[in-house]
Amino acid sequence: MKTATILLLFILAMQAILAANALIFDGVLGDLVFWFNSALFMAALAVYIYRMDKDKSPDKNK
């Protein structure tokens, strides 16, 4: 799966959590949503950095 697709899925998950909080729970779960969105952002950043480092490895250039 391409990196852009994985990052897009992370964004969609973050938006789904945010929308569920706003529409179903009337914004009551603000801190929990912030925590999960922060965790998803860090996961997306880790995936991006891992894949960026993997693309720049010297073995791939041979």
Side-chain angles (χ1 to χ4, degrees), residues 18-54:
L18 188 65
N21 182 41
L23 297 174
I24 298 171
F25 300 110
D26 294 326
V28 177
L29 304 174
D31 290 339
L32 191 62
V33 168
F34 175 76
W35 188 85
F36 275 109
N37 280 345
S38 297
L40 285 170
F41 172 76
M42 289 298 163
L45 184 63
V47 166
Y48 178 74
I49 290 173
Y50 172 75
R51 292 204 171 212
M52 183 179 61
D53 286 344
K54 196 166 89 172

